[in-house]
mmCIF file of all heavy atoms in Angstrom:
data_model
loop_
_atom_site.group_PDB
_atom_site.id
_atom_site.type_symbol
_atom_site.label_atom_id
_atom_site.label_comp_id
_atom_site.label_asym_id
_atom_site.label_seq_id
_atom_site.Cartn_x
_atom_site.Cartn_y
_atom_site.Cartn_z
ATOM 1 N N ILE A 303 -14.477 29.283 -7.450
ATOM 2 C CA ILE A 303 -13.539 28.416 -8.286
ATOM 3 C C ILE A 303 -12.160 28.563 -7.661
ATOM 4 O O ILE A 303 -11.724 29.680 -7.371
ATOM 5 C CB ILE A 303 -13.586 28.831 -9.744
ATOM 6 C CG1 ILE A 303 -14.994 28.575 -10.332
ATOM 7 C CG2 ILE A 303 -12.521 28.084 -10.531
ATOM 8 C CD1 ILE A 303 -15.156 28.998 -11.786
ATOM 9 N N HIS A 304 -11.476 27.436 -7.535
ATOM 10 C CA HIS A 304 -10.139 27.467 -6.985
ATOM 11 C C HIS A 304 -9.098 27.400 -8.107
ATOM 12 O O HIS A 304 -9.278 26.672 -9.092
ATOM 13 C CB HIS A 304 -9.941 26.257 -6.048
ATOM 14 C CG HIS A 304 -10.599 26.380 -4.781
ATOM 15 N ND1 HIS A 304 -10.003 26.308 -3.567
ATOM 16 C CD2 HIS A 304 -11.936 26.634 -4.492
ATOM 17 C CE1 HIS A 304 -10.872 26.507 -2.578
ATOM 18 N NE2 HIS A 304 -12.045 26.659 -3.094
ATOM 19 N N LEU A 305 -8.016 28.149 -7.920
ATOM 20 C CA LEU A 305 -6.927 28.095 -8.842
ATOM 21 C C LEU A 305 -5.805 27.375 -8.118
ATOM 22 O O LEU A 305 -5.267 27.825 -7.103
ATOM 23 C CB LEU A 305 -6.494 29.499 -9.245
ATOM 24 C CG LEU A 305 -7.508 30.357 -9.950
ATOM 25 C CD1 LEU A 305 -6.983 31.756 -10.273
ATOM 26 C CD2 LEU A 305 -7.978 29.649 -11.289
ATOM 27 N N ASP A 306 -5.413 26.239 -8.668
ATOM 28 C CA ASP A 306 -4.300 25.452 -8.123
ATOM 29 C C ASP A 306 -3.003 26.017 -8.668
ATOM 30 O O ASP A 306 -3.023 27.003 -9.440
ATOM 31 C CB ASP A 306 -4.510 23.969 -8.471
ATOM 32 C CG ASP A 306 -3.804 22.990 -7.487
ATOM 33 O OD1 ASP A 306 -2.725 23.355 -7.010
ATOM 34 O OD2 ASP A 306 -4.330 21.922 -7.195
ATOM 35 N N ILE A 307 -1.911 25.395 -8.390
ATOM 36 C CA ILE A 307 -0.564 25.953 -8.675
ATOM 37 C C ILE A 307 -0.326 26.435 -10.150
ATOM 38 O O ILE A 307 0.554 27.217 -10.389
ATOM 39 C CB ILE A 307 0.603 24.995 -8.314
ATOM 40 C CG1 ILE A 307 0.280 23.574 -8.813
ATOM 41 C CG2 ILE A 307 0.742 24.972 -6.805
ATOM 42 C CD1 ILE A 307 1.430 22.588 -8.549
ATOM 43 N N ASP A 308 -1.166 25.981 -11.062
ATOM 44 C CA ASP A 308 -0.938 26.296 -12.486
ATOM 45 C C ASP A 308 -1.115 27.748 -12.836
ATOM 46 O O ASP A 308 -0.697 28.201 -13.866
ATOM 47 C CB ASP A 308 -1.848 25.438 -13.372
ATOM 48 C CG ASP A 308 -1.508 23.972 -13.196
ATOM 49 O OD1 ASP A 308 -0.363 23.612 -13.326
ATOM 50 O OD2 ASP A 308 -2.465 23.248 -12.843
ATOM 51 N N TYR A 309 -1.776 28.543 -11.947
ATOM 52 C CA TYR A 309 -1.978 29.973 -12.310
ATOM 53 C C TYR A 309 -0.672 30.759 -12.095
ATOM 54 O O TYR A 309 -0.519 31.841 -12.589
ATOM 55 C CB TYR A 309 -3.085 30.607 -11.468
ATOM 56 C CG TYR A 309 -2.686 31.010 -10.104
ATOM 57 C CD1 TYR A 309 -2.162 32.262 -9.833
ATOM 58 C CD2 TYR A 309 -2.797 30.071 -9.035
ATOM 59 C CE1 TYR A 309 -1.709 32.589 -8.539
ATOM 60 C CE2 TYR A 309 -2.398 30.417 -7.761
ATOM 61 C CZ TYR A 309 -1.895 31.653 -7.520
ATOM 62 O OH TYR A 309 -1.482 32.002 -6.234
ATOM 63 N N MET A 310 0.231 30.185 -11.368
ATOM 64 C CA MET A 310 1.474 30.959 -11.002
ATOM 65 C C MET A 310 2.477 30.954 -12.185
ATOM 66 O O MET A 310 2.455 30.074 -12.974
ATOM 67 C CB MET A 310 2.149 30.294 -9.815
ATOM 68 C CG MET A 310 1.324 30.285 -8.531
ATOM 69 S SD MET A 310 2.392 29.538 -7.274
ATOM 70 C CE MET A 310 1.176 28.904 -6.165
ATOM 71 N N ASP A 311 3.321 31.955 -12.082
ATOM 72 C CA ASP A 311 4.410 32.009 -13.076
ATOM 73 C C ASP A 311 5.563 31.117 -12.558
ATOM 74 O O ASP A 311 6.239 31.532 -11.614
ATOM 75 C CB ASP A 311 4.826 33.476 -13.148
ATOM 76 C CG ASP A 311 6.054 33.680 -14.020
ATOM 77 O OD1 ASP A 311 6.393 32.728 -14.775
ATOM 78 O OD2 ASP A 311 6.631 34.771 -14.008
ATOM 79 N N GLY A 312 5.670 29.991 -13.181
ATOM 80 C CA GLY A 312 6.773 29.062 -12.767
ATOM 81 C C GLY A 312 6.638 28.617 -11.284
ATOM 82 O O GLY A 312 7.662 28.411 -10.665
ATOM 83 N N PHE A 313 5.445 28.594 -10.793
ATOM 84 C CA PHE A 313 5.172 28.199 -9.413
ATOM 85 C C PHE A 313 5.741 29.179 -8.361
ATOM 86 O O PHE A 313 6.042 28.809 -7.245
ATOM 87 C CB PHE A 313 5.677 26.772 -9.109
ATOM 88 C CG PHE A 313 5.129 25.750 -10.023
ATOM 89 C CD1 PHE A 313 5.971 24.909 -10.748
ATOM 90 C CD2 PHE A 313 3.740 25.580 -10.243
ATOM 91 C CE1 PHE A 313 5.490 23.914 -11.633
ATOM 92 C CE2 PHE A 313 3.238 24.630 -11.151
ATOM 93 C CZ PHE A 313 4.089 23.799 -11.823
ATOM 94 N N ARG A 314 5.999 30.397 -8.784
ATOM 95 C CA ARG A 314 6.530 31.406 -7.839
ATOM 96 C C ARG A 314 5.241 31.926 -7.078
ATOM 97 O O ARG A 314 4.315 32.411 -7.742
ATOM 98 C CB ARG A 314 7.191 32.549 -8.576
ATOM 99 C CG ARG A 314 8.496 32.179 -9.191
ATOM 100 C CD ARG A 314 8.970 33.288 -10.114
ATOM 101 N NE ARG A 314 10.169 32.942 -10.843
ATOM 102 C CZ ARG A 314 10.152 32.217 -11.973
ATOM 103 N NH1 ARG A 314 9.025 31.766 -12.497
ATOM 104 N NH2 ARG A 314 11.286 31.854 -12.610
ATOM 105 N N VAL A 315 5.356 31.837 -5.757
ATOM 106 C CA VAL A 315 4.176 32.321 -5.020
ATOM 107 C C VAL A 315 3.942 33.824 -5.189
ATOM 108 O O VAL A 315 4.902 34.580 -5.335
ATOM 109 C CB VAL A 315 4.312 32.030 -3.473
ATOM 110 C CG1 VAL A 315 3.903 30.630 -3.180
ATOM 111 C CG2 VAL A 315 5.676 32.360 -2.918
ATOM 112 N N PHE A 316 2.708 34.189 -5.145
ATOM 113 C CA PHE A 316 2.252 35.592 -5.340
ATOM 114 C C PHE A 316 2.497 36.157 -6.712
ATOM 115 O O PHE A 316 2.527 37.327 -6.914
ATOM 116 C CB PHE A 316 2.894 36.544 -4.270
ATOM 117 C CG PHE A 316 2.566 36.203 -2.873
ATOM 118 C CD1 PHE A 316 3.564 35.721 -1.977
ATOM 119 C CD2 PHE A 316 1.275 36.310 -2.391
ATOM 120 C CE1 PHE A 316 3.262 35.413 -0.683
ATOM 121 C CE2 PHE A 316 0.984 35.966 -1.053
ATOM 122 C CZ PHE A 316 1.951 35.495 -0.194
ATOM 123 N N THR A 317 2.688 35.240 -7.709
ATOM 124 C CA THR A 317 2.794 35.726 -9.102
ATOM 125 C C THR A 317 1.696 35.076 -9.949
ATOM 126 O O THR A 317 1.075 34.060 -9.538
ATOM 127 C CB THR A 317 4.152 35.398 -9.728
ATOM 128 O OG1 THR A 317 4.217 33.933 -9.872
ATOM 129 C CG2 THR A 317 5.316 35.904 -8.960
ATOM 130 N N VAL A 318 1.488 35.661 -11.103
ATOM 131 C CA VAL A 318 0.489 35.152 -12.021
ATOM 132 C C VAL A 318 1.151 34.914 -13.390
ATOM 133 O O VAL A 318 1.893 35.794 -13.839
ATOM 134 C CB VAL A 318 -0.719 36.124 -12.204
ATOM 135 C CG1 VAL A 318 -1.709 35.644 -13.232
ATOM 136 C CG2 VAL A 318 -1.397 36.329 -10.851
ATOM 137 N N ASP A 319 0.893 33.790 -14.006
ATOM 138 C CA ASP A 319 1.419 33.550 -15.363
ATOM 139 C C ASP A 319 0.553 34.286 -16.374
ATOM 140 O O ASP A 319 -0.542 33.904 -16.675
ATOM 141 C CB ASP A 319 1.387 32.017 -15.625
ATOM 142 C CG ASP A 319 2.021 31.674 -16.985
ATOM 143 O OD1 ASP A 319 1.921 32.495 -17.919
ATOM 144 O OD2 ASP A 319 2.593 30.589 -17.080
ATOM 145 N N ARG A 320 1.193 35.400 -16.929
ATOM 146 C CA ARG A 320 0.398 36.261 -17.771
ATOM 147 C C ARG A 320 0.136 35.670 -19.144
ATOM 148 O O ARG A 320 -0.756 36.106 -19.837
ATOM 149 C CB ARG A 320 1.170 37.609 -17.950
ATOM 150 C CG ARG A 320 1.414 38.311 -16.660
ATOM 151 C CD ARG A 320 0.091 38.756 -15.986
ATOM 152 N NE ARG A 320 -0.663 39.623 -16.829
ATOM 153 C CZ ARG A 320 -0.471 40.957 -16.908
ATOM 154 N NH1 ARG A 320 0.495 41.532 -16.154
ATOM 155 N NH2 ARG A 320 -1.191 41.724 -17.695
ATOM 156 N N SER A 321 0.885 34.598 -19.470
ATOM 157 C CA SER A 321 0.567 34.019 -20.808
ATOM 158 C C SER A 321 -0.672 33.156 -20.729
ATOM 159 O O SER A 321 -1.455 33.092 -21.667
ATOM 160 C CB SER A 321 1.760 33.216 -21.347
ATOM 161 O OG SER A 321 1.959 32.112 -20.500
ATOM 162 N N ARG A 322 -0.872 32.505 -19.593
ATOM 163 C CA ARG A 322 -2.038 31.672 -19.451
ATOM 164 C C ARG A 322 -3.224 32.384 -18.822
ATOM 165 O O ARG A 322 -4.398 32.032 -19.035
ATOM 166 C CB ARG A 322 -1.707 30.373 -18.733
ATOM 167 C CG ARG A 322 -0.936 29.436 -19.683
ATOM 168 C CD ARG A 322 -0.541 28.114 -19.076
ATOM 169 N NE ARG A 322 0.550 28.282 -18.128
ATOM 170 C CZ ARG A 322 0.349 28.122 -16.822
ATOM 171 N NH1 ARG A 322 -0.796 27.788 -16.340
ATOM 172 N NH2 ARG A 322 1.337 28.239 -15.977
ATOM 173 N N PHE A 323 -2.934 33.392 -17.968
ATOM 174 C CA PHE A 323 -3.977 34.160 -17.334
ATOM 175 C C PHE A 323 -3.712 35.669 -17.662
ATOM 176 O O PHE A 323 -3.321 36.421 -16.825
ATOM 177 C CB PHE A 323 -4.026 33.963 -15.822
ATOM 178 C CG PHE A 323 -4.535 32.618 -15.434
ATOM 179 C CD1 PHE A 323 -3.688 31.492 -15.418
ATOM 180 C CD2 PHE A 323 -5.867 32.434 -15.162
ATOM 181 C CE1 PHE A 323 -4.174 30.228 -15.083
ATOM 182 C CE2 PHE A 323 -6.369 31.163 -14.798
ATOM 183 C CZ PHE A 323 -5.543 30.037 -14.804
ATOM 184 N N PRO A 324 -3.981 36.056 -18.912
ATOM 185 C CA PRO A 324 -3.610 37.384 -19.391
ATOM 186 C C PRO A 324 -4.368 38.493 -18.605
ATOM 187 O O PRO A 324 -3.822 39.569 -18.460
ATOM 188 C CB PRO A 324 -3.961 37.412 -20.872
ATOM 189 C CG PRO A 324 -4.766 36.202 -21.104
ATOM 190 C CD PRO A 324 -4.500 35.217 -20.033
ATOM 191 N N ASP A 325 -5.561 38.214 -18.162
ATOM 192 C CA ASP A 325 -6.232 39.268 -17.422
ATOM 193 C C ASP A 325 -7.128 38.643 -16.332
ATOM 194 O O ASP A 325 -8.330 38.514 -16.452
ATOM 195 C CB ASP A 325 -7.119 40.102 -18.386
ATOM 196 C CG ASP A 325 -7.570 41.396 -17.702
ATOM 197 O OD1 ASP A 325 -7.352 41.504 -16.475
ATOM 198 O OD2 ASP A 325 -8.058 42.266 -18.342
ATOM 199 N N LEU A 326 -6.389 38.327 -15.258
ATOM 200 C CA LEU A 326 -7.085 37.686 -14.164
ATOM 201 C C LEU A 326 -8.113 38.575 -13.509
ATOM 202 O O LEU A 326 -9.192 38.124 -13.093
ATOM 203 C CB LEU A 326 -6.023 37.303 -13.118
ATOM 204 C CG LEU A 326 -6.365 36.266 -12.066
ATOM 205 C CD1 LEU A 326 -6.985 35.025 -12.623
ATOM 206 C CD2 LEU A 326 -5.162 35.875 -11.215
ATOM 207 N N LEU A 327 -7.840 39.822 -13.478
ATOM 208 C CA LEU A 327 -8.799 40.789 -12.839
ATOM 209 C C LEU A 327 -10.123 40.794 -13.607
ATOM 210 O O LEU A 327 -11.233 40.760 -13.044
ATOM 211 C CB LEU A 327 -8.195 42.169 -12.763
ATOM 212 C CG LEU A 327 -9.050 43.213 -12.080
ATOM 213 C CD1 LEU A 327 -9.305 42.816 -10.610
ATOM 214 C CD2 LEU A 327 -8.385 44.614 -12.068
ATOM 215 N N ALA A 328 -10.005 40.808 -14.953
ATOM 216 C CA ALA A 328 -11.224 40.815 -15.770
ATOM 217 C C ALA A 328 -12.001 39.503 -15.513
ATOM 218 O O ALA A 328 -13.240 39.502 -15.399
ATOM 219 C CB ALA A 328 -10.872 40.931 -17.248
ATOM 220 N N LEU A 329 -11.254 38.379 -15.394
ATOM 221 C CA LEU A 329 -11.920 37.111 -15.138
ATOM 222 C C LEU A 329 -12.627 37.172 -13.789
ATOM 223 O O LEU A 329 -13.808 36.764 -13.660
ATOM 224 C CB LEU A 329 -10.858 36.005 -15.152
ATOM 225 C CG LEU A 329 -11.405 34.596 -14.841
ATOM 226 C CD1 LEU A 329 -12.240 34.069 -15.994
ATOM 227 C CD2 LEU A 329 -10.254 33.613 -14.584
ATOM 228 N N ALA A 330 -11.923 37.692 -12.772
ATOM 229 C CA ALA A 330 -12.494 37.753 -11.472
ATOM 230 C C ALA A 330 -13.791 38.587 -11.498
ATOM 231 O O ALA A 330 -14.778 38.269 -10.828
ATOM 232 C CB ALA A 330 -11.496 38.348 -10.469
ATOM 233 N N ARG A 331 -13.750 39.689 -12.251
ATOM 234 C CA ARG A 331 -14.926 40.516 -12.290
ATOM 235 C C ARG A 331 -16.092 39.858 -13.008
ATOM 236 O O ARG A 331 -17.252 39.987 -12.608
ATOM 237 C CB ARG A 331 -14.590 41.827 -13.035
ATOM 238 C CG ARG A 331 -13.723 42.722 -12.139
ATOM 239 C CD ARG A 331 -13.660 44.162 -12.740
ATOM 240 N NE ARG A 331 -12.904 44.982 -11.818
ATOM 241 C CZ ARG A 331 -11.977 45.814 -12.195
ATOM 242 N NH1 ARG A 331 -11.673 45.989 -13.498
ATOM 243 N NH2 ARG A 331 -11.311 46.584 -11.298
ATOM 244 N N GLU A 332 -15.759 39.145 -14.063
ATOM 245 C CA GLU A 332 -16.794 38.408 -14.793
ATOM 246 C C GLU A 332 -17.431 37.356 -13.852
ATOM 247 O O GLU A 332 -18.652 37.214 -13.867
ATOM 248 C CB GLU A 332 -16.049 37.695 -15.912
ATOM 249 C CG GLU A 332 -16.882 37.539 -17.156
ATOM 250 C CD GLU A 332 -15.935 36.954 -18.258
ATOM 251 O OE1 GLU A 332 -14.875 37.566 -18.529
ATOM 252 O OE2 GLU A 332 -16.266 35.844 -18.697
ATOM 253 N N LEU A 333 -16.593 36.643 -13.114
ATOM 254 C CA LEU A 333 -17.139 35.659 -12.197
ATOM 255 C C LEU A 333 -17.986 36.355 -11.149
ATOM 256 O O LEU A 333 -19.096 35.816 -10.816
ATOM 257 C CB LEU A 333 -15.994 34.858 -11.507
ATOM 258 C CG LEU A 333 -15.086 34.020 -12.393
ATOM 259 C CD1 LEU A 333 -14.086 33.240 -11.515
ATOM 260 C CD2 LEU A 333 -15.838 33.064 -13.242
ATOM 261 N N ALA A 334 -17.535 37.467 -10.655
ATOM 262 C CA ALA A 334 -18.249 38.142 -9.582
ATOM 263 C C ALA A 334 -19.649 38.546 -10.008
ATOM 264 O O ALA A 334 -20.583 38.569 -9.187
ATOM 265 C CB ALA A 334 -17.456 39.391 -9.137
ATOM 266 N N GLU A 335 -19.808 38.863 -11.322
ATOM 267 C CA GLU A 335 -21.148 39.166 -11.820
ATOM 268 C C GLU A 335 -22.105 38.041 -11.573
ATOM 269 O O GLU A 335 -23.328 38.235 -11.532
ATOM 270 C CB GLU A 335 -21.102 39.516 -13.312
ATOM 271 C CG GLU A 335 -20.685 40.897 -13.598
ATOM 272 C CD GLU A 335 -20.335 41.125 -15.040
ATOM 273 O OE1 GLU A 335 -20.955 40.387 -15.903
ATOM 274 O OE2 GLU A 335 -19.464 41.959 -15.339
ATOM 275 N N HIS A 336 -21.561 36.829 -11.489
ATOM 276 C CA HIS A 336 -22.419 35.650 -11.277
ATOM 277 C C HIS A 336 -22.323 35.149 -9.848
ATOM 278 O O HIS A 336 -22.655 34.013 -9.540
ATOM 279 C CB HIS A 336 -22.070 34.543 -12.262
ATOM 280 C CG HIS A 336 -22.254 34.963 -13.653
ATOM 281 N ND1 HIS A 336 -23.431 34.946 -14.290
ATOM 282 C CD2 HIS A 336 -21.340 35.471 -14.586
ATOM 283 C CE1 HIS A 336 -23.328 35.400 -15.526
ATOM 284 N NE2 HIS A 336 -22.043 35.741 -15.729
ATOM 285 N N GLY A 337 -21.750 36.021 -9.005
ATOM 286 C CA GLY A 337 -21.623 35.651 -7.551
ATOM 287 C C GLY A 337 -20.581 34.580 -7.290
ATOM 288 O O GLY A 337 -20.647 33.900 -6.282
ATOM 289 N N VAL A 338 -19.602 34.467 -8.167
ATOM 290 C CA VAL A 338 -18.567 33.460 -8.015
ATOM 291 C C VAL A 338 -17.195 34.158 -7.701
ATOM 292 O O VAL A 338 -16.842 35.111 -8.367
ATOM 293 C CB VAL A 338 -18.425 32.598 -9.314
ATOM 294 C CG1 VAL A 338 -17.315 31.557 -9.187
ATOM 295 C CG2 VAL A 338 -19.778 31.911 -9.598
ATOM 296 N N ARG A 339 -16.546 33.633 -6.706
ATOM 297 C CA ARG A 339 -15.220 34.199 -6.278
ATOM 298 C C ARG A 339 -14.089 33.266 -6.745
ATOM 299 O O ARG A 339 -14.262 32.069 -6.904
ATOM 300 C CB ARG A 339 -15.108 34.261 -4.756
ATOM 301 C CG ARG A 339 -15.544 35.526 -4.186
ATOM 302 C CD ARG A 339 -16.977 35.577 -3.979
ATOM 303 N NE ARG A 339 -17.385 36.840 -3.325
ATOM 304 C CZ ARG A 339 -18.660 37.169 -3.198
ATOM 305 N NH1 ARG A 339 -19.614 36.356 -3.624
ATOM 306 N NH2 ARG A 339 -19.010 38.312 -2.632
ATOM 307 N N LEU A 340 -12.861 33.878 -6.764
ATOM 308 C CA LEU A 340 -11.655 33.080 -7.062
ATOM 309 C C LEU A 340 -10.878 32.905 -5.778
ATOM 310 O O LEU A 340 -10.646 33.850 -5.059
ATOM 311 C CB LEU A 340 -10.810 33.813 -8.086
ATOM 312 C CG LEU A 340 -11.194 33.652 -9.544
ATOM 313 C CD1 LEU A 340 -10.306 34.535 -10.390
ATOM 314 C CD2 LEU A 340 -11.117 32.184 -10.015
ATOM 315 N N VAL A 341 -10.459 31.695 -5.531
ATOM 316 C CA VAL A 341 -9.568 31.387 -4.411
ATOM 317 C C VAL A 341 -8.269 30.844 -5.047
ATOM 318 O O VAL A 341 -8.334 29.992 -5.922
ATOM 319 C CB VAL A 341 -10.153 30.343 -3.442
ATOM 320 C CG1 VAL A 341 -9.113 29.763 -2.562
ATOM 321 C CG2 VAL A 341 -11.265 30.999 -2.565
ATOM 322 N N ALA A 342 -7.090 31.372 -4.587
ATOM 323 C CA ALA A 342 -5.849 30.947 -5.229
ATOM 324 C C ALA A 342 -4.954 30.236 -4.224
ATOM 325 O O ALA A 342 -4.892 30.612 -3.064
ATOM 326 C CB ALA A 342 -5.138 32.157 -5.790
ATOM 327 N N ILE A 343 -4.268 29.218 -4.703
ATOM 328 C CA ILE A 343 -3.405 28.440 -3.853
ATOM 329 C C ILE A 343 -2.060 29.169 -3.608
ATOM 330 O O ILE A 343 -1.638 29.966 -4.443
ATOM 331 C CB ILE A 343 -3.104 27.045 -4.481
ATOM 332 C CG1 ILE A 343 -2.620 26.024 -3.415
ATOM 333 C CG2 ILE A 343 -2.127 27.158 -5.600
ATOM 334 C CD1 ILE A 343 -2.605 24.592 -3.933
ATOM 335 N N LEU A 344 -1.482 28.947 -2.445
ATOM 336 C CA LEU A 344 -0.169 29.529 -2.124
ATOM 337 C C LEU A 344 0.587 28.484 -1.313
ATOM 338 O O LEU A 344 0.025 27.812 -0.406
ATOM 339 C CB LEU A 344 -0.304 30.736 -1.239
ATOM 340 C CG LEU A 344 -0.794 31.995 -1.950
ATOM 341 C CD1 LEU A 344 -1.090 33.076 -0.910
ATOM 342 C CD2 LEU A 344 0.229 32.522 -2.942
ATOM 343 N N ASP A 345 1.832 28.228 -1.700
ATOM 344 C CA ASP A 345 2.715 27.332 -0.933
ATOM 345 C C ASP A 345 3.717 28.230 -0.196
ATOM 346 O O ASP A 345 4.040 29.291 -0.716
ATOM 347 C CB ASP A 345 3.443 26.373 -1.882
ATOM 348 C CG ASP A 345 2.467 25.392 -2.524
ATOM 349 O OD1 ASP A 345 1.306 25.316 -2.086
ATOM 350 O OD2 ASP A 345 2.892 24.708 -3.482
ATOM 351 N N PRO A 346 4.269 27.749 0.888
ATOM 352 C CA PRO A 346 5.225 28.613 1.603
ATOM 353 C C PRO A 346 6.593 28.716 0.930
ATOM 354 O O PRO A 346 7.296 29.733 1.131
ATOM 355 C CB PRO A 346 5.409 27.918 2.985
ATOM 356 C CG PRO A 346 4.922 26.565 2.835
ATOM 357 C CD PRO A 346 3.891 26.549 1.686
ATOM 358 N N GLY A 347 6.966 27.705 0.148
ATOM 359 C CA GLY A 347 8.326 27.728 -0.520
ATOM 360 C C GLY A 347 8.456 28.817 -1.531
ATOM 361 O O GLY A 347 7.619 29.002 -2.387
ATOM 362 N N VAL A 348 9.534 29.587 -1.450
ATOM 363 C CA VAL A 348 9.775 30.723 -2.373
ATOM 364 C C VAL A 348 10.901 30.258 -3.303
ATOM 365 O O VAL A 348 12.013 29.905 -2.876
ATOM 366 C CB VAL A 348 10.206 31.968 -1.587
ATOM 367 C CG1 VAL A 348 10.555 33.129 -2.560
ATOM 368 C CG2 VAL A 348 9.125 32.370 -0.591
ATOM 369 N N LYS A 349 10.630 30.292 -4.613
ATOM 370 C CA LYS A 349 11.579 29.758 -5.590
ATOM 371 C C LYS A 349 12.922 30.486 -5.525
ATOM 372 O O LYS A 349 12.987 31.703 -5.443
ATOM 373 C CB LYS A 349 11.016 29.921 -6.982
ATOM 374 C CG LYS A 349 11.874 29.319 -8.103
ATOM 375 C CD LYS A 349 11.187 29.496 -9.450
ATOM 376 C CE LYS A 349 12.090 29.122 -10.598
ATOM 377 N NZ LYS A 349 12.263 27.705 -10.754
ATOM 378 N N ARG A 350 14.003 29.687 -5.477
ATOM 379 C CA ARG A 350 15.393 30.229 -5.493
ATOM 380 C C ARG A 350 15.671 30.747 -6.892
ATOM 381 O O ARG A 350 15.969 30.010 -7.809
ATOM 382 C CB ARG A 350 16.392 29.191 -5.103
ATOM 383 C CG ARG A 350 17.791 29.836 -4.991
ATOM 384 C CD ARG A 350 18.765 28.921 -4.328
ATOM 385 N NE ARG A 350 19.172 27.828 -5.245
ATOM 386 C CZ ARG A 350 20.023 26.860 -4.929
ATOM 387 N NH1 ARG A 350 20.523 26.799 -3.702
ATOM 388 N NH2 ARG A 350 20.348 25.924 -5.769
ATOM 389 N N ASP A 351 15.460 32.072 -7.046
ATOM 390 C CA ASP A 351 15.602 32.674 -8.378
ATOM 391 C C ASP A 351 16.015 34.125 -8.098
ATOM 392 O O ASP A 351 15.200 34.944 -7.653
ATOM 393 C CB ASP A 351 14.271 32.541 -9.073
ATOM 394 C CG ASP A 351 14.231 33.412 -10.335
ATOM 395 O OD1 ASP A 351 15.298 33.995 -10.696
ATOM 396 O OD2 ASP A 351 13.155 33.450 -10.988
ATOM 397 N N PRO A 352 17.251 34.454 -8.394
ATOM 398 C CA PRO A 352 17.731 35.782 -8.085
ATOM 399 C C PRO A 352 16.959 36.891 -8.855
ATOM 400 O O PRO A 352 16.992 38.086 -8.415
ATOM 401 C CB PRO A 352 19.191 35.775 -8.581
ATOM 402 C CG PRO A 352 19.447 34.421 -9.145
ATOM 403 C CD PRO A 352 18.250 33.569 -8.984
ATOM 404 N N GLU A 353 16.209 36.506 -9.891
ATOM 405 C CA GLU A 353 15.431 37.514 -10.648
ATOM 406 C C GLU A 353 14.040 37.744 -9.970
ATOM 407 O O GLU A 353 13.298 38.616 -10.408
ATOM 408 C CB GLU A 353 15.089 36.984 -12.057
ATOM 409 C CG GLU A 353 16.304 36.558 -12.842
ATOM 410 C CD GLU A 353 17.086 37.824 -13.238
ATOM 411 O OE1 GLU A 353 16.510 38.630 -13.983
ATOM 412 O OE2 GLU A 353 18.223 37.947 -12.776
#
Side-chain angles (χ1 to χ4, degrees):
I303 294 177
H304 286 236
L305 298 178
D306 206 324
I307 46 176
D308 298 307
Y309 79 89
M310 296 182 206
D311 174 13
F313 306 125
R314 290 168 186 84
V315 277
F316 299 113
T317 66
V318 175
D319 184 327
R320 302 296 299 278
S321 65
R322 283 181 289 109
F323 288 84
D325 196 348
L326 196 51
L327 185 60
L329 179 71
R331 288 194 175 134
E332 213 174 301
L333 297 184
E335 278 168 30
H336 300 279
V338 177
R339 265 86 178 172
L340 279 175
V341 163
I343 199 168
L344 287 170
D345 293 348
V348 177
K349 185 177 170 75
R350 184 168 74 181
D351 170 3
E353 306 288 298

